[in-house]
Amino acid sequence: MTELCHEGAALREACERVRREGGRVALVPTMGALHAGHLSLARAAREQGADFIALSVFVNPLQFGEGEDLGRYPRTLESDLEACRELGVDLVFAPAREAMYPDGFQTEVRVTGLTQPLEGEHRPGHFDGVTTVVAKLFAKTGRCHAYFGRKDFQQWRVVERMARDLELPVEVVGMPIVREADGLALSSRNRHLSESERERALGISRGLRRVHDAWASGARDAAQLTALVRREVEPTSDKIDYVALRSPETLEPAGDTIDAGVLLIAAHVGQTRLIDNLWLGVDARP
Ligand code: PAF
């Protein structure tokens, strides 16, 4: 049975009870509009030994900038709950905005270096919103494993850094990207794509697949690898925010010739901003 709760105290009590009885708690933080990518996180949590899975659904206003899509972000709590029931998630935590940010709230959790490039350049303040809400979720959940998708590669690294720096009793786990059969990385924002935009959006995963294949054949030149993505995405997207080859640990430029790296991309198709990445040498197939 999946319990639904709206108050942090209920989440805290449920997690404490599980731990008192010797059980392991997993947290899957989401903004709802659940898709197979989110569900793969809950499934992984169970397979990796969680006795109790809490999944949070909260469209966090702090992480949306002016002019971004907070207003049109999909809110689908009923179908999210149904999906959680089918999967055996134990508790869905869906707080109201006032419960997370009551009157007088004035604290921000900020990771510095890792948040500066890439998404940080294009969405100033975004990660401060993410780390603030995730810190609150971690505080309520307590000792746990917390699952994040690697589609938001930079977010995963930032949250991991925050947990380490603040010595939180949370093991941050990053799980592989889940894709549609044709390669499109799953995202709650995909539902905004029209049929023709969706077709164009495939340029992103096609570009990453070219990089995957080139890498497999021994290509190590950073400029050559990023050019492969640009060649696919420039004609199919409306705007590219970045195509960048970075160190998977520090997110600093990976150098001219690389032996490890993550190729990250953010591009707009119509009104929808999409991100994707390929962790070279780790991701089997984009
Ligand atoms: O990845 C997301 O859905 C959000 O950024 C998160 C981690 C749930 C924080 O609001």
Side-chain angles (χ1 to χ4, degrees):
M1 225 210 30
T2 303
E3 189 189 334
L4 170 65
C5 78
H6 302 286
E7 301 301 328
L11 169 64
R12 190 189 301 272
E13 275 159 32
C15 295
E16 278 172 1
R17 185 172 5 96
V18 172
R19 281 189 297 267
R20 260 197 318 272
E21 289 163 7
R24 264 177 66 164
V25 173
L27 172 68
V28 181
T30 82
M31 296 204 298
L34 300 183
H35 52 64
H38 296 115
L39 303 181
S40 77
L41 300 180
R43 211 171 282 121
R46 192 67 84 197
E47 282 164 12
Q48 293 176 13
D51 301 295
F52 183 86
I53 301 175
L55 183 145
S56 62
V57 173
F58 181 61
V59 182
N60 173 33
L62 288 197
Q63 69 188 75
F64 289 80
E66 213 151 292
E68 291 189 352
D69 58 351
L70 173 62
R72 72 171 192 146
Y73 200 87
R75 289 155 170 89
T76 59
L77 186 59
E78 271 317 308
S79 56
D80 291 348
L81 271 174
E82 198 44 50
C84 286
R85 280 190 200 110
E86 272 170 32
L87 210 70
V89 167
D90 297 283
L91 183 145
V92 171
F93 174 55
R97 180 184 179 136
E98 307 73 52
M100 289 302 269
Y101 304 121
D103 278 351
F105 185 87
Q106 46 188 289
T107 297
E108 190 172 81
V109 178
R110 172 177 299 166
V111 171
T112 53
L114 270 175
T115 57
Q116 297 308 302
L118 306 164
E119 291 299 287
E121 269 171 31
H122 292 273
R123 304 185 68 188
H126 165 68
F127 285 123
D128 301 340
V130 170
T131 42
T132 300
V133 80
V134 172
K136 284 177 69 80
L137 292 169
F138 285 2
K140 292 174 203 298
T141 308
R143 181 171 300 282
C144 68
H145 285 64
Y147 287 79
F148 292 82
R150 293 206 303 254
K151 186 174 78 63
D152 297 286
F153 194 94
Q154 189 175 9
Q155 169 175 278
W156 165 49
R157 286 306 199 202
V158 167
V159 168
E160 195 181 49
R161 183 81 253 166
M162 174 192 76
R164 199 175 314 145
D165 288 353
L166 298 181
E167 299 175 54
L168 304 177
V170 177
E171 184 84 32
V172 176
V173 186
M175 296 301 296
I177 297 175
V178 178
R179 297 178 183 278
E180 305 271 14
D182 58 11
L184 186 70
L186 294 190
S187 162
S188 304
R189 291 185 168 98
N190 290 351
R191 64 183 73 198
H192 295 315
L193 297 168
S194 68
E195 209 175 308
S196 62
E197 287 171 345
R198 194 190 175 288
E199 195 54 39
R200 289 200 285 131
L202 289 176
I204 297 175
S205 52
R206 205 163 47 237
L208 293 177
R209 197 173 316 122
R210 300 254 183 278
V211 173
H212 173 272
D213 294 346
W215 176 266
S217 330
R220 295 294 181 267
D221 181 85
Q224 191 197 333
L225 291 168
T226 48
L228 287 173
V229 180
R230 285 197 170 271
R231 199 172 302 154
E232 292 292 341
V233 181
E234 268 164 14
T236 50
S237 71
D238 294 298
K239 182 171 160 237
I240 297 180
D241 280 349
Y242 56 80
V243 175
L245 236 173
R246 296 295 166 111
S247 147
E249 282 78 33
T250 63
L251 297 179
E252 281 167 9
D256 296 338
T257 309
I258 56 164
D259 52 20
V262 56
L263 203 153
L264 303 115
I265 174 163
H268 299 251
V269 179
Q271 299 297 306
T272 307
R273 185 174 185 276
L274 299 168
I275 60 172
D276 202 345
N277 66 78
L278 174 69
W279 191 354
L280 293 166
V282 174
D283 289 330
R285 183 144 197 96

